[in-house]
């Protein structure tokens, strides 16, 4: 085994690669030796991101569209000659309203981007991995997929679905040498979350008090977990959803107990 995580020559597709956790992870994969294509619905942001992270190619499209996903995977194979690794980071947040006030169409779109999009990319890239009998995929769930958050039914259902999709694919493809895992991030300082913090939709102090490590995450801390799961260092790890959450899921006490802990 290599002394460090080594992705030399691995051909990787990163969805949602034009921003946040996707961009930061794509950058780390390049630094670890991988050849990377980034995909995103935000076509205008792709070129700049590719330039910043030294990606070999870009492909624009909507992960909810089977035709777009087919083309994005084909573009990736066209640029790189194949596909060994996938990081499915494309995702959107939801409206923070209770179920009885939410528009069904909006609910469906949030579920579709986060769950159907992940399914379609796994399915299309998986065809290549099944044919070559190797590959590794990391999907993105969330702490919201592991425990219920009021006002986040669409996002929570989708991210819980990602947990199950991940374990199902691991069981379907394990005998073919293909590993499928997920990360479940807690609040991570990406442009998306920073905007919510700036607009005071989240209270960072409350999040810090609820988190045993007492701070929000940096996207580099998601990227390193993803790189591990995509690498041979995780060669016997499949079907898991790894919380990368500063201890969020480990913590079970009521808010008042946190106040005692913090004096
Ligand atoms: N930031 C957090 O605190 C946090 C916590 C838990 C999970 N997550 C998940 O991590 C992933 C990345 O989030 P982020 O914070 O980096 O957000 P971000 O908004 O910075 O990046 C998401 C990227 O996905 C792209 N995207 C959105 N819809 C798409 C679609 N239909 N097709 C293709 N691309 C699409 C966006 O254009 C954007 O570039 C998401 O799946 C998100 O749900 C984030």
């Amino acid at each position: 085994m290599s002394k460090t995580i080594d992705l030399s020559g691995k051909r990787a597709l990163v969805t949602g690669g034009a921003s946040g956790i996707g961009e930061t992870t794509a950058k780390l994969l390049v630094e670890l030796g991988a050849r990377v294509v980034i995909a995103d619905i935000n076509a205008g942001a792709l070129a700049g991101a590719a330039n910043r992270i030294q990606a070999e190619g870009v492909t624009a499209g909507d992960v909810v569209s089977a035709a777009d996903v087919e083309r994005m995977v084909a573009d990736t194979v066209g640029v790189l000659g194949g596909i060994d690794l996938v990081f499915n980071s494309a995702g959107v947040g939801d409206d923070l309203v209770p179920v009885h006030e939410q528009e069904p169409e909006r609910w469906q779109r949030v579920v579709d981007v986060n769950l159907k999009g992940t399914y379609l990319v796994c399915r299309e890239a998986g065809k290549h991995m099944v044919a070559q009998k190797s590959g590794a995929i990391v999907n993105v769930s969330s702490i919201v997929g592991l425990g219920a958050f009021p006002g986040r039914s669409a996002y929570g259902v989708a991210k819980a679905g990602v947990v199950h999709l991940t374990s199902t694919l691991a069981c379907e493809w394990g005998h073919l040498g293909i590993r499928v895992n997920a990360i479940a991030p807690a609040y991570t300082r990406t442009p998306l979350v920073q905007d919510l913090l700036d607009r005071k939709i989240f209270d960072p102090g409350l999040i810090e008090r609820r988190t045993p490590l007492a701070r929000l995450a940096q996207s580099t801390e998601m990227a390193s977990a993803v790189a591990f799961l995509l690498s041979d260092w995780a060669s016997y790890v499949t079907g898991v959803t790894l919380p990368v959450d500063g201890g969020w899921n480990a913590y079970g006490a009521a808010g008042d107990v946190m106040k005692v802990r913090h004096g």
Side-chain angles (χ1 to χ4, degrees), residues 142-143 146 182-188 213 217-226 229 241-249:
S142 165
I143 53 171
L146 303 180
I183 58 167
Y187 297 93
T188 306
L213 286 183
Q218 300 293 337
S219 54
T220 50
E221 296 175 304
M222 301 303 140
S224 55
V226 175
L229 289 169
T241 295
L242 176 67
V244 188
D245 66 357
W248 181 280
N249 273 286

Side-chain angles (χ1 to χ4, degrees), residues 102-148:
Q102 190 171 41
E103 293 300 325
E105 295 73 21
R106 176 66 190 154
W107 187 92
Q108 189 67 59
R109 177 66 187 172
V110 173
V111 171
D112 282 351
V113 174
N114 290 290
L115 180 56
K116 183 181 176 189
T118 301
Y119 158 78
L120 287 174
V121 175
C122 286
R123 179 176 181 275
E124 203 56 37
K127 292 176 187 174
H128 293 271
M129 294 179 176
V130 165
Q132 73 193 14
K133 291 192 170 54
S134 68
I137 296 174
V138 173
N139 298 322
V140 182
S141 180
S142 165
I143 53 171
V144 186
L146 303 180

Side-chain angles (χ1 to χ4, degrees), residues 15-23 39-43 45 60-65 72 87-93 109 112-114 117-118 140-144 152 155 159 183-194 202 216-217 219 222:
T15 74
S19 177
I21 294 169
E23 179 180 342
D40 208 286
I41 198 169
N42 186 349
D62 182 350
V63 292
V64 175
S65 157
M72 290 191 285
F87 177 47
N88 275 310
S89 193
V92 289
R109 177 66 187 172
D112 282 351
V113 174
N114 290 290
T118 301
V140 182
S141 180
S142 165
I143 53 171
V144 186
R152 306 200 68 184
Y155 189 79
K159 293 302 192 182
I183 58 167
Y187 297 93
T188 306
R189 287 193 185 276
T190 63
L192 180 87
V193 166
Q194 195 57 52
F202 294 148
L216 278 70
S219 54
M222 301 303 140

Side-chain angles (χ1 to χ4, degrees), residues 30-230:
V30 170
E31 288 166 2
L32 293 171
R35 301 172 57 206
V36 176
V37 167
I38 53 174
D40 208 286
I41 198 169
N42 186 349
L46 273 170
N51 203 31
R52 285 192 293 277
I53 67 179
Q54 303 291 301
E56 272 190 46
V58 300
T59 178
D62 182 350
V63 292
V64 175
S65 157
D68 280 12
V69 170
E70 196 175 329
R71 183 180 42 72
M72 290 191 285
V73 170
D75 286 350
T76 304
V77 171
V79 170
L80 302 178
I83 187 162
D84 305 302
L85 311 175
V86 171
F87 177 47
N88 275 310
S89 193
V92 289
D94 46 8
D95 302 329
L96 302 174
V97 292
V99 168
H100 64 281
E101 289 177 12
Q102 190 171 41
E103 293 300 325
E105 295 73 21
R106 176 66 190 154
W107 187 92
Q108 189 67 59
R109 177 66 187 172
V110 173
V111 171
D112 282 351
V113 174
N114 290 290
L115 180 56
K116 183 181 176 189
T118 301
Y119 158 78
L120 287 174
V121 175
C122 286
R123 179 176 181 275
E124 203 56 37
K127 292 176 187 174
H128 293 271
M129 294 179 176
V130 165
Q132 73 193 14
K133 291 192 170 54
S134 68
I137 296 174
V138 173
N139 298 322
V140 182
S141 180
S142 165
I143 53 171
V144 186
L146 303 180
F149 282 52
R152 306 200 68 184
S153 77
Y155 189 79
V157 163
K159 293 302 192 182
V162 168
V163 174
H164 207 286
L165 174 68
T166 297
S167 51
T168 301
L169 290 174
C171 295
E172 289 189 1
W173 293 340
H175 70 289
L176 297 168
I178 302 162
R179 295 183 302 101
V180 187
N181 293 294
I183 58 167
Y187 297 93
T188 306
R189 287 193 185 276
T190 63
L192 180 87
V193 166
Q194 195 57 52
D195 175 57
L196 296 172
L197 291 170
D198 292 346
R199 290 193 285 134
K200 306 208 182 311
I201 291 172
F202 294 148
D203 172 359
L206 194 62
I207 295 167
E208 286 162 9
R209 289 200 301 281
R210 171 63 179 76
T211 305
L213 286 183
R215 61 179 176 82
L216 278 70
Q218 300 293 337
S219 54
T220 50
E221 296 175 304
M222 301 303 140
S224 55
V226 175
F228 162 70
L229 289 169
L230 288 176

